[in-house]
Amino acid sequence: MINENNFNECFGPAVSEFEFTVPADYNNDTQIDTFAKKVKGLNTTYYYNDDLTSKNFPKVTNKLEPGKTYKTEIIPILTTVTCDECINFLEKKNSLLVGGQGLTLVHDLKKEEFPKSKRTVSFDKKENLWKCSDSGSHRVPLVYAFTGGIFEFNLGYFGYGCDVSR
């Protein structure tokens, strides 16, 4: 378990910082499905996990508000840490946990900000994550940005060591 003094060893400085404004027509309840309809089948979508749906992720700790502007930081994980340690770090920074809704919206608005050849995970509290019936594991929405503008939209496993530096 990392403590506050070890955060700098586990998490690096933001690799990207930007603001975005939530569109007036944003709907938290349907955001993920609306996004899936836009990106599935595009030549820029390498893969889309069919379990990344609004039905599977109906709750989010912090709902984004239409018309509001948010500051976003993409923070690298430098070593293997647990998802709970990541959430603890984010809470200490007073970060909002916006799950799949936030991840898909940021891709809609600022996809060029995703680090290339890296996974970007949008955390939320475990109770708000979909639990896969096959594995019994909670799943975490993520985007992998390939070089050349290609994206993979997938789900990681909550509770396992998170090492998204690959």
Side-chain angles (χ1 to χ4, degrees):
M1 184 70 146
I2 62 173
N3 62 46
E4 199 167 332
N5 297 330
N6 297 74
F7 280 154
N8 289 341
E9 296 171 14
C10 300
F11 304 97
V15 295
S16 182
E17 295 181 47
F18 56 92
E19 291 184 347
F20 70 93
T21 301
V22 179
D25 63 349
Y26 172 81
N27 183 333
N28 185 77
D29 295 337
T30 60
Q31 168 58 30
I32 298 171
D33 290 344
T34 301
F35 175 78
K37 287 177 188 170
K38 284 186 219 175
V39 300
K40 280 185 177 181
L42 293 178
N43 61 359
T44 56
T45 300
Y46 170 74
Y47 175 78
Y48 191 97
N49 188 315
D50 288 333
D51 291 322
L52 181 55
T53 66
S54 295
K55 179 183 176 189
N56 287 344
F57 293 90
K59 296 179 187 176
V60 65
T61 299
N62 303 105
K63 287 185 178 183
L64 298 171
E65 298 176 35
K68 188 170 179 180
T69 299
Y70 294 90
K71 179 183 175 189
T72 301
E73 294 181 320
I74 297 180
I75 300 168
I77 299 172
L78 303 176
T79 185
T80 300
V81 293
T82 68
C83 293
D84 287 326
E85 289 168 334
C86 291
I87 290 174
N88 183 34
F89 170 76
L90 294 170
E91 287 177 339
K92 289 209 179 294
K93 288 182 59 64
N94 294 317
S95 300
L96 299 180
L97 301 175
V98 295
Q101 291 83 347
L103 187 70
T104 56
L105 182 62
V106 168
H107 183 275
D108 271 345
L109 301 174
K110 298 281 187 169
K111 65 182 167 212
E112 69 280 359
E113 297 291 344
F114 285 89
K116 304 303 179 257
S117 302
K118 302 286 184 191
R119 292 177 186 90
T120 302
V121 180
S122 184
F123 288 102
D124 204 343
K125 292 186 177 179
K126 186 175 182 177
E127 61 267 19
N128 292 334
L129 299 173
W130 174 65
K131 187 174 182 179
C132 175
S133 60
D134 292 343
S135 68
S137 300
H138 289 85
R139 304 297 297 271
V140 183
L142 65 87
V143 170
Y144 184 87
F146 294 87
T147 57
I150 307 296
F151 293 90
E152 173 184 324
F153 306 96
N154 212 337
L155 299 171
Y157 291 89
F158 187 95
Y160 294 84
C162 292
D163 182 356
V164 294
S165 60
R166 300 180 260 133

